[in-house]
Amino acid sequence: MEPRRPLEAVVPFDPAYDAVLAKWPPGTTTATVPTPYGMTHVIGHGPADAPPVLLLPGGGATATCWYGTAAALGGTHRVHAVDLVGEAGRSVPDPRRPLRTAEDLVGWLDALLDALGIPETRTVGLVGHSYGAWIALQYALAAPRRTGRLVLLDPTNCFTGFAPRFLLRALPVLLRPTPARGTALLDWETRGAALDPDWRRLHGLAAAFPGVRPVNGPRPGRQRLGTLEPPALVLLAGRSRAHDPHAVERRARAAVPGVETAVLPDATHFTLPVAAPPGTHARIARHLVG
């Protein structure tokens, strides 16, 4: 039997989730598919027979954050935006088989792609933001034959660590998460940028969403990064407070053969992808098409 979510995860989180989901382009679909690690909620858009691309959000951002990206990709790709198992959203983890390691995450994504009907002989593009970028990188390194092209948006724990100041600001959210604390961190990092108010509200509510401890692991070493096969695009937020974007760019260029990088001067860590600078989604689309 599918485990039930606590009531506090349903009200008022679900209405807030629906408000952002409504911003997706016409023709958007939703589905909840089984995997060995729980039920995974996926938002789909684009022609069913188009090249597939998997969108992985940052922690607490939910799959809904990709509505602008989906609009840009929907003419050329079949988009599958995923609520991370154990994170805020509509995926429901199986308590009998929790995700504990990076290898588990690879197994989860393999099972998810199978459940979506994407055969192993067909590659899938991966686009990840923040923690979702770390998951995408882990998968691309472990399953290069199943990964088409890779896009990492302000990736965390992939090439460098977090800025100490960011960790200090995030500590109250980690110790006693509340919507107010989640929103305060968001507003501080984005320097009060004008964000979609519905998504801002949802992101705050996600801070107090009852989840499980996310999988964390060491950053891939330079030797392992040097084996990355799928063509990679790394887009960094020039005003990110999560880390030093220029240090991340230098490390990525030094470690990953043929990587394409760019610093988006007006972006912050949390303004991606919902308030990405003009042209960002089109650049992602061009990279995925090759």
Side-chain angles (χ1 to χ4, degrees):
M1 179 180 294
E2 180 180 318
R4 293 179 62 83
R5 286 177 293 158
L7 180 62
E8 62 266 31
V10 179
V11 182
F13 183 88
D14 275 358
Y17 188 103
D18 287 335
V20 184
L21 180 59
K23 301 174 189 294
W24 277 63
T28 292
T29 62
T30 61
T32 303
V33 299
T35 75
Y37 298 93
M39 305 298 292
T40 302
H41 184 252
V42 182
I43 306 173
H45 181 66
D49 59 349
V53 58
L54 203 65
L55 307 181
L56 301 171
T62 80
T64 64
C65 72
W66 296 107
Y67 56 86
T69 312
L73 298 181
T76 55
H77 289 80
R78 176 62 180 178
V79 167
H80 304 281
V82 181
D83 281 332
L84 304 178
V85 170
E87 291 275 339
R90 290 180 173 165
S91 293
V92 182
D94 187 337
R96 299 167 299 180
R97 193 172 180 183
L99 291 163
R100 297 187 185 278
T101 66
E103 290 74 19
D104 289 340
L105 288 170
V106 171
W108 165 58
L109 289 183
D110 270 336
L112 176 60
L113 296 180
D114 292 342
L116 291 172
I118 303 171
E120 292 188 15
T121 54
R122 189 176 197 187
T123 59
V124 59
L126 294 178
V127 181
H129 169 239
S130 189
Y131 177 54
W134 182 81
I135 296 174
L137 179 61
Q138 293 290 336
Y139 189 80
L141 287 166
R145 289 176 177 80
R146 205 166 187 180
T147 306
R149 287 175 168 262
L150 180 66
V151 180
L152 307 178
L153 297 180
D154 215 41
T156 52
N157 205 35
C158 292
F159 306 104
T160 69
F162 286 98
R165 183 174 59 163
F166 180 83
L167 292 177
L168 185 62
R169 283 278 185 165
L171 191 59
V173 184
L174 299 173
L175 293 178
R176 190 166 67 86
T178 66
R181 290 183 174 196
T183 301
L185 176 64
L186 177 70
D187 290 345
W188 170 78
E189 199 286 323
T190 60
R191 296 171 170 83
L195 298 172
D196 181 316
D198 292 323
W199 182 80
R200 179 176 176 271
R201 178 171 181 263
L202 178 62
H203 195 280
L205 291 169
F209 190 92
V212 299
R213 185 175 181 178
V215 176
N216 289 304
R219 292 190 298 276
R222 182 166 178 170
Q223 184 174 0
R224 188 168 184 233
L225 287 170
T227 68
L228 185 67
E229 295 180 20
L233 170 65
V234 179
L235 297 178
L236 296 154
R239 303 181 71 201
S240 177
R241 286 178 157 173
H243 47 212
D244 179 346
H246 299 287
V248 177
E249 183 180 42
R250 289 193 297 271
R251 185 69 60 88
R253 285 182 173 179
V256 179
V259 68
E260 181 183 352
T261 67
V263 176
L264 309 175
D266 297 325
T268 81
H269 185 70
F270 287 138
T271 59
L272 297 174
V274 290
T280 303
H281 299 308
R283 184 166 191 169
I284 293 171
R286 289 195 301 271
H287 178 78
L288 291 173
V289 170

